[in-house]
Amino acid sequence: MAKAGGGITNAVNVGIAVQADWENREFISHISLNVRRLFEFLVQFESTTKSKLASLNEKLDLLERGLEMLEVQVSTATANPSLFAT
Amino acid sequence: MSLSRLGVRNVYGTSQQAEFYGNVDREDPEAILNGVAVSGLIGVLRQLGDLAESAAEIFQGIQEEVMATASRSNQLKMRLQHIEATVPPLEKGVLAQTTHLHFAYTGGVEWHPRIPHEQNHFIHDDLPNSFMDHYEECRDPPRLHMLDKFDINGPGSCLKRYSDPTYFRRASSSLVKGNNKFQNNNMSCKIKKKKSSSRSRDMSRLASMANQNARKTLTSFSFSGQTSSSKSASTSDMEKRSDLQDHHSHSYDCHSTATSSLKTGEKPKGGLVSSSLTPGSCTIASVLSECETEDEHDNLQFTPLQGHAAVGSSCVSWDEKAEIVEEPLGVQTDEASVVDRLDEKVSYGEGTGRVDIENSESGLQQSNGIDEVREIKAGSEIVREPRDSSEHETESEGECFVDALNSIESESENEQGLKTSLEAVSSPCGVTGEMLEKSSNKVEESCRSMDNGYLNATDEMNHQDPLESITISPSPRNDVCTTSNISSGEDKIGFTVVPAPENSLSDSSNPLCHSDHQKSEAKVSGEVEAIKIWTNGGLLGLNPSKPPVLEVPSPDCKAEERTVGSAEAEKDKSHDLVEHVLDTPSLGTQNLTVDQRECHETSSYGVFGGLSQKLFTNSFRRRDSLSHDNRQALPATIPENDEVMEEKSRFLFREEAPIDWFASSPPLQHMKISLNPVDNTLQASRLKLKFSDEDNNSNNTFPSFQLLPEAATSLLDSCSDDDTFCMTSDIDYLSDYHSLSDSEQWEEPNDSHERKEHDSCTHVDNNGEPSSLDTEAENGCVALNFSYLQSPVEPLPPPFPPAQWMVSKLAAETTSDKKITQSLELQDALRFAFEKHTSSSIVNKEEPNTVASAPKPETKVHVKNNVREDKQNANEKETDADDFLQQIRTQHVNLKPVVMTRTLSTAAAATTDPAINIKISAMLEKANSIRQAVASNDGDESDTWSDT
């Protein structure tokens, strides 16, 4: 009886261990999946952020060029006050 | 190669995780499962760690970029604030400007932005990690620096040799060059084999030494320098060449190479000198220095053979022709030849060559005689051998110093081959002197042929455009001669050595050239004369007119003439165009019927066409109603209505117009005049100009002088303040208000035509027979004027005259009324005088071509056209200027002063007949001077003159 009871208990224990393992695996997979989602989010965030920064930089480039032209014109105009002498 | 920037590894993917469950007891499943769970958790932690790391990188990058953007924006903000601070005063200045036009004329800002392109995806040094990983995984190059101690070029040479990235590029290019060189060298080697067969004696020892040294240099070169690829490509070729040239390496080569190579200054030799610093060259020099004594002996032995072969010019073999081909190495390098000669004199004190520098210099100066030529012949035969030796010497050196000189030598050989092949072709014999003579003869012949060819070319050019060829022809010939001299000066052997034949040939050729040249000049001069006839005075880009050929008019041209009496004068001349008809004396007038014909293809159109055009257009201008009885129909070719025909028929000449029969014809294409637009305008205008009180008077003397400007003004104001407007006040103008504009419209061209006509008349008066150029110039002007008339006349009436002018007319109306009676009296007196002239001219009318009859029409036409004369005198200078626009501007003169002068002249003519012309001319001059003064003072002549 004892052997039989011992065998049964071992089987139950193994089953419990396997079930626990499955649960552990599920937990780990969930964590891993979420980590992947975090990666994806990070990558997407980086891309969108960099694209927006790039567009912003382009606008800043245009502004800088226009501003540089303005500066040159203003400097030229200030350097030649005779142009405005009526 | 993965282009993924970030890879998330599996939770259980790491190898370290197996340690957690690999070493567990197999019989304990719980332990195994626990190990697996722990490894999973570890994997999760690793992923989280990777996630954190990547997130950190990402956010760091984003932060950097945001910071950079923020800094830029801050900078922009600062700059913008600065601009905002500086703009308001400028804005105030700009707004204070009354006109902003001057800003358009101010220079802009010369500024160009410098936009950097740093954001490159592949070129920028910020490579992706995947690429950088491969670079990082690469091994280091082998430790070749350890071999540097065995290399000559010092440290780093071996590493550069075996790890040079440009190696394959240079190797591929050098292989292509090497193939070409190999083909060229095979050609030269075949020649050298033949040449070396007669010379190889005990040179094998020296050859082997030279070959040895050459191979030493090869090996040394193979270790040195960056051009290892090219050297390897040309190694086989140069080994062959060195083997072949072992036989050619004379002793004299070794002796003279050092001097000649140093003194010629050629690049290949310079390369040799520079390369002599290498160990291989040092060994060669040592070997060569050892063999000097043997070289002299060899030269002494070889020289007679060469001389014998040279003397026997008739038995020249192909081998020697091949040698001749190679000779120009010494021929071209004159300095080298001089040096060779000097060396020869030094080494062979006997002076067998007799060639010294003086001869060469005298050859340069072209003052040598035949004796010197012979001497040089004899010398050149002897000198030839050292030249050969110098060739071989250079070749052997080139073979010794293989790689650096291979290409240069091959190139030099090619050039020399080209140049000497020309000489070899020119001289069938291999003897140098004969070659020289024949080459010089060739040069002279070529010069002469060039001269002849040039003369032929000039003749051709003369046929085409003689004037240009006249100016050009002498200079190229001189250029040819000078070039021959120069070339003879430069090529010391081929051109200057043989002066006597050259001189003889030049003397013989020069007369030919001169004769040909004289002939050509004669032709040219003849053509120049023809051109003088053909020129049209350079009138505004017109083509030269055809020579004056007064052809007999074709009958078809005659067919369309409809005249009352066909005059005899028109039969001899271009009577198909203009007919002058004398009416009976009872009528008292001469009717000139202008037959306008468009015989454009005949050259006989000539002046007649122009004059007929002028006269015909003058008929439009003289729209005064004279005797309606004497109207004659115009030619049927002119489609006109009755009114226009009437007006044309009123164009009456008292006698023949003085026409220059000898004038050349203007270009016909410019004389094509269609009268249709004129008729249209006349029809549109419908001018009917009449004398109010002289309609019944059929003997009106000067109907043609009832001018249009008065018609233009007379509608509004009948008379002006001058006497000139007495006639116009008497005129009863039936024309409507369009006559104003039309009169002004016709004012300018008709005025010009009148002036032209009178120019031709004055030519006849003064000179009797005007020069062709003048008449051509006139005709050109006439042609221009007619071409101006050819322009389509606008159907709409031209604009009205300025109101200021009309006001001035109205103000002057009262003063002109007082002078009407006086003008009528003057007109009658002038008419009487003119009739008297016409009655005297009708007697001589039967011979219009005779000289006796010529002055009478001239004078009468002068009397008739005295109104125009003042304008013509005023504008004579401008007609000479041939500027049509200027003429039009200057001719934009109101005719009121003209009428005034006319009336004054008629008053003078009424007094006495002989004194008419004198007085008229004096008064015309006076009036002309006054008018010029007024015109010069103010641009608006009409107003100023009428007011004054």
Side-chain angles (χ1 to χ4, degrees):
Chain A
M1 283 298 291
K3 289 182 179 178
I8 292 170
T9 55
N10 289 328
V12 171
N13 293 329
V14 168
I16 294 168
V18 168
Q19 187 177 0
D21 183 63
W22 279 106
E23 288 175 355
N24 291 328
R25 287 177 181 267
E26 187 180 3
F27 175 73
I28 291 166
S29 65
H30 279 290
I31 293 171
S32 174
L33 181 63
N34 289 322
V35 169
R36 288 178 182 273
R37 286 178 181 176
L38 284 173
F39 269 105
E40 289 177 358
F41 170 74
L42 282 175
V43 169
Q44 188 176 1
F45 176 76
E46 183 189 14
S47 63
T48 54
T49 305
K50 285 193 175 180
S51 66
K52 288 180 179 179
L53 284 172
S55 62
L56 182 60
N57 286 323
E58 289 178 355
K59 290 178 181 178
L60 287 174
D61 288 334
L62 294 175
L63 286 174
E64 284 179 349
R65 291 173 189 172
L67 196 62
E68 190 173 2
M69 186 66 191
L70 280 175
E71 286 176 352
V72 172
Q73 289 178 353
V74 167
S75 62
T76 305
T78 53
N80 295 321
S82 62
L83 292 174
F84 306 105
T86 56
Chain B
M1 182 183 293
S2 64
L3 295 175
S4 63
R5 182 183 174 187
L6 183 64
V8 180
R9 289 175 290 184
N10 190 4
V11 179
Y12 306 101
T14 59
S15 61
Q16 295 176 354
Q17 294 174 354
E19 296 174 356
F20 296 101
Y21 57 88
N23 298 323
V24 180
D25 187 8
R26 296 284 180 179
E27 293 178 355
D28 189 3
E30 292 180 355
I32 296 170
L33 293 174
N34 289 328
V36 170
V38 170
S39 66
L41 291 172
I42 291 167
V44 168
L45 291 173
R46 195 179 55 250
Q47 285 181 350
L48 289 172
D50 293 338
L51 177 64
E53 185 180 358
S54 64
E57 290 178 356
I58 289 168
F59 283 110
Q60 185 178 359
I62 291 169
Q63 186 185 4
E64 290 177 354
E65 291 185 359
V66 167
M67 291 299 291
T69 306
S71 65
R72 291 177 65 188
S73 62
N74 289 324
Q75 289 178 356
L76 284 174
K77 188 178 177 181
M78 296 296 291
R79 292 165 66 185
L80 193 59
Q81 288 177 355
H82 181 68
I83 290 170
E84 285 178 356
T86 55
V87 162
L90 296 174
E91 186 179 4
K92 289 179 182 178
V94 170
L95 292 175
Q97 295 290 323
T98 57
T99 59
H100 300 278
L101 288 175
H102 67 280
F103 291 118
Y105 298 102
T106 57
V109 179
E110 293 181 357
W111 171 78
H112 299 285
R114 294 177 181 176
I115 301 168
H117 297 284
E118 294 179 352
Q119 294 179 354
N120 294 321
H121 295 287
F122 300 105
I123 300 171
H124 200 259
D125 52 354
D126 188 10
L127 288 174
N129 293 324
S130 59
F131 291 100
M132 292 300 292
D133 291 337
H134 290 282
Y135 278 100
E136 291 173 355
E137 291 173 359
C138 288
R139 295 177 181 176
D140 293 332
R143 293 174 292 180
L144 296 172
H145 61 276
M146 297 175 69
L147 297 174
D148 289 339
K149 60 184 179 182
F150 300 104
D151 197 353
I152 300 169
N153 293 325
S157 61
C158 289
L159 181 64
K160 191 173 183 179
R161 181 178 299 115
Y162 292 107
S163 65
D164 190 3
T166 61
Y167 169 77
F168 296 101
R169 196 185 306 162
R170 286 188 283 105
S172 60
S173 62
S174 63
L175 283 173
V176 175
K177 292 180 181 176
N179 291 325
N180 295 325
K181 289 176 184 175
F182 182 72
Q183 293 175 356
N184 293 324
N185 290 324
N186 284 330
M187 297 295 290
S188 62
C189 288
K190 289 178 183 177
I191 298 167
K192 289 171 186 174
K193 280 182 181 178
K194 293 178 182 179
K195 192 165 59 177
S196 63
S197 61
S198 64
R199 295 181 183 175
S200 62
R201 206 169 46 87
D202 58 348
M203 304 304 293
S204 60
R205 183 172 63 85
L206 181 61
S208 61
M209 294 174 69
N211 190 11
Q212 214 171 10
N213 293 320
R215 288 180 180 174
K216 282 181 182 178
T217 55
L218 282 173
T219 54
S220 66
F221 270 110
S222 64
F223 282 103
S224 64
Q226 297 180 1
T227 60
S228 59
S229 60
S230 62
K231 290 166 188 170
S232 62
S234 62
T235 301
S236 60
D237 300 339
M238 296 311 296
E239 285 179 356
K240 290 179 181 178
R241 294 187 65 184
S242 63
D243 291 334
L244 291 171
Q245 287 182 350
D246 289 338
H247 305 287
H248 302 290
S249 62
H250 296 274
S251 61
Y252 188 78
D253 301 340
C254 305
H255 177 72
S256 62
T257 303
T259 58
S260 63
S261 63
L262 286 172
K263 291 181 180 179
T264 52
E266 292 181 354
K267 287 183 178 181
K269 293 177 180 179
L272 288 173
V273 172
S274 63
S275 63
S276 64
L277 298 173
T278 59
S281 65
C282 291
T283 56
I284 288 171
S286 62
V287 169
L288 294 175
S289 62
E290 289 174 359
C291 305
E292 282 183 358
T293 56
E294 294 180 358
D295 295 338
E296 292 177 357
H297 185 69
D298 291 335
N299 282 322
L300 288 173
Q301 289 179 350
F302 280 122
T303 304
L305 293 173
Q306 293 289 332
H308 179 71
V311 168
S313 62
S314 61
C315 58
V316 175
S317 63
W318 286 102
D319 295 334
E320 293 180 355
K321 288 182 179 179
E323 291 177 358
I324 292 164
V325 170
E326 292 180 355
E327 258 190 8
L329 179 68
V331 172
Q332 287 186 348
T333 60
D334 297 324
E335 295 177 358
S337 63
V338 170
V339 170
D340 292 337
R341 290 170 187 174
L342 287 173
D343 293 332
E344 189 180 12
K345 284 187 76 175
V346 171
S347 60
Y348 312 111
E350 296 151 2
T352 58
R354 296 288 183 188
V355 176
D356 50 359
I357 302 170
E358 293 177 356
N359 288 327
S360 64
E361 290 178 352
S362 62
L364 292 173
Q365 295 173 356
Q366 290 183 347
S367 62
N368 290 326
I370 298 171
D371 295 331
E372 290 179 356
V373 172
R374 290 175 182 175
E375 189 175 2
I376 289 169
K377 285 182 186 177
S380 61
E381 291 174 358
I382 301 164
V383 168
R384 183 185 170 200
E385 202 277 327
R387 284 176 187 167
D388 292 334
S389 65
S390 64
E391 290 175 11
H392 304 311
E393 157 196 341
T394 54
E395 289 174 358
S396 63
E397 286 182 357
E399 290 169 356
C400 292
F401 301 97
V402 181
D403 290 328
L405 300 174
N406 189 10
S407 61
I408 301 167
E409 185 179 7
S410 61
E411 291 175 357
S412 62
E413 285 179 357
N414 290 324
E415 293 176 354
Q416 292 162 4
L418 289 172
K419 292 179 180 178
T420 52
S421 61
L422 295 173
E423 292 182 358
V425 167
S426 64
S427 63
C429 299
V431 180
T432 309
E434 293 178 0
M435 281 177 60
L436 298 176
E437 289 180 354
K438 290 185 176 181
S439 62
S440 62
N441 292 327
K442 282 272 183 180
V443 169
E444 292 171 355
E445 289 177 357
S446 62
C447 176
R448 189 174 59 186
S449 63
M450 287 173 68
D451 280 334
N452 293 324
Y454 177 72
L455 290 171
N456 292 324
T458 53
D459 291 333
E460 292 175 358
M461 290 174 67
N462 290 329
H463 289 296
Q464 292 176 356
D465 193 0
L467 285 174
E468 294 179 356
S469 64
I470 289 166
T471 58
I472 296 166
S473 59
S475 57
R477 187 186 173 280
N478 294 326
D479 292 334
V480 168
C481 294
T482 52
T483 49
S484 64
N485 293 326
I486 290 167
S487 59
S488 62
E490 290 176 354
D491 289 331
K492 297 170 184 175
I493 293 173
F495 295 92
T496 62
V497 171
V498 189
E502 184 179 13
N503 292 325
S504 64
L505 283 172
S506 63
D507 294 333
S508 63
S509 62
N510 285 327
L512 291 173
C513 296
H514 285 297
S515 62
D516 293 333
H517 186 65
Q518 289 174 355
K519 289 178 181 178
S520 63
E521 285 181 349
K523 291 179 181 178
V524 164
S525 63
E527 290 180 356
V528 164
E529 294 174 356
I531 284 160
K532 286 179 181 178
I533 296 169
W534 277 67
T535 53
N536 54 356
L539 290 173
L540 297 171
L542 294 176
N543 292 324
S545 62
K546 290 183 178 181
V549 178
L550 296 175
E551 295 177 355
V552 176
S554 59
D556 54 351
C557 295
K558 295 180 182 177
E560 294 179 355
E561 294 178 353
R562 285 191 301 120
T563 57
V564 176
S566 62
E568 291 83 3
E570 283 80 8
K571 290 181 181 180
D572 295 330
K573 291 126 189 182
S574 62
H575 54 280
D576 53 345
L577 303 174
V578 179
E579 287 187 354
H580 302 282
V581 180
L582 284 173
D583 287 333
T584 58
S586 61
L587 295 174
T589 58
Q590 293 179 357
N591 295 324
L592 172 66
T593 302
V594 179
D595 187 6
Q596 284 293 333
R597 295 292 307 277
E598 294 181 356
C599 296
H600 303 293
E601 288 80 11
T602 59
S603 63
S604 64
Y605 194 90
V607 182
F608 274 176
L611 290 173
S612 62
Q613 295 289 338
K614 288 187 288 184
L615 295 172
F616 186 63
T617 51
N618 287 326
S619 67
F620 297 134
R621 193 164 182 271
R622 294 160 187 147
R623 291 166 187 163
D624 37 352
S625 64
L626 187 61
S627 61
H628 296 286
D629 299 333
N630 295 325
R631 293 175 185 174
Q632 291 182 357
L634 287 173
T637 57
I638 304 167
E640 291 176 341
N641 57 3
D642 295 331
E643 294 176 355
V644 176
M645 291 174 71
E646 285 177 359
E647 290 177 355
K648 289 181 178 178
S649 63
R650 291 166 194 163
F651 178 70
L652 299 173
F653 275 4
R654 299 302 176 190
E655 56 189 281
E656 286 186 1
I659 298 166
D660 186 8
W661 302 105
F662 299 97
S664 62
S665 64
L668 293 174
Q669 62 272 15
H670 298 286
M671 297 299 292
K672 294 177 180 178
I673 297 161
S674 63
L675 295 172
N676 292 323
V678 174
D679 298 335
N680 292 328
T681 56
L682 288 172
Q683 290 175 1
S685 65
R686 293 176 182 274
L687 292 175
K688 292 180 178 178
L689 306 179
K690 294 179 180 178
F691 287 101
S692 62
D693 54 350
E694 293 179 355
D695 287 333
N696 295 323
N697 188 5
S698 63
N699 293 325
N700 192 2
T701 47
F702 292 102
S704 62
F705 296 144
Q706 308 304 321
L707 299 172
L708 287 174
E710 285 74 18
T713 58
S714 62
L715 287 175
L716 297 175
D717 49 347
S718 62
C719 295
S720 64
D721 53 353
D722 293 330
D723 294 332
T724 59
F725 298 101
C726 295
M727 295 296 289
T728 58
S729 64
D730 296 331
I731 294 169
D732 184 10
Y733 291 102
L734 298 176
S735 62
D736 52 1
Y737 189 72
H738 292 289
S739 62
L740 272 172
S741 58
D742 291 331
S743 63
E744 289 185 354
Q745 180 181 355
W746 287 99
E747 184 177 3
E748 292 180 5
N750 290 326
D751 191 11
S752 63
H753 297 316
E754 287 177 359
R755 185 179 51 77
K756 296 294 188 302
E757 182 182 1
H758 185 71
D759 288 334
S760 62
C761 294
T762 53
H763 277 293
V764 176
D765 288 332
N766 295 323
N767 300 324
E769 182 174 357
S771 64
S772 62
L773 289 173
D774 293 331
T775 54
E776 283 174 357
E778 292 172 2
N779 293 324
C781 294
V782 169
L784 281 172
N785 291 326
F786 279 99
S787 62
Y788 174 75
L789 287 173
Q790 277 182 349
S791 64
V793 180
E794 60 272 5
L796 294 174
F800 297 120
Q804 186 180 0
W805 188 41
M806 295 179 180
V807 171
S808 65
K809 301 292 181 184
L810 289 172
E813 185 177 5
T814 58
T815 58
S816 63
D817 290 332
K818 299 176 181 177
K819 299 176 182 177
I820 292 170
T821 57
Q822 184 179 359
S823 64
L824 289 173
E825 291 175 357
L826 293 172
Q827 189 175 5
D828 292 331
L830 185 62
R831 185 187 59 193
F832 177 72
F834 194 76
E835 285 177 358
K836 194 174 182 179
H837 279 286
T838 52
S839 62
S840 64
S841 63
I842 287 166
V843 177
N844 294 322
K845 186 63 182 177
E846 294 178 356
E847 293 178 356
N849 293 325
T850 60
V851 181
S853 63
K856 292 180 179 178
E858 291 167 1
T859 56
K860 291 180 180 180
V861 168
H862 182 71
V863 171
K864 288 190 291 182
N865 295 325
N866 54 3
V867 178
R868 302 165 227 159
E869 189 175 9
D870 54 352
K871 293 184 287 184
Q872 291 159 1
N873 291 323
N875 295 320
E876 281 180 358
K877 294 179 180 179
E878 292 156 358
T879 55
D880 293 332
D882 293 333
D883 190 357
F884 181 69
L885 294 174
Q886 185 66 29
Q887 290 174 4
I888 289 172
R889 291 192 200 97
T890 55
Q891 289 175 358
H892 185 69
V893 178
N894 194 1
L895 293 173
K896 285 177 282 185
V898 173
V899 175
M900 181 193 73
T901 57
R902 181 189 60 79
T903 54
L904 293 173
S905 65
T906 53
T911 58
T912 56
D913 290 336
I916 285 172
N917 294 325
I918 299 168
K919 291 181 179 180
I920 285 171
S921 61
M923 294 175 73
L924 285 173
E925 289 176 355
K926 186 176 181 181
N928 187 17
S929 61
I930 293 167
R931 189 176 60 82
Q932 287 179 352
V934 172
S936 62
N937 289 326
D938 191 359
D940 191 2
E941 298 89 352
S942 62
D943 293 336
T944 57
W945 180 254
S946 62
D947 292 337
T948 58

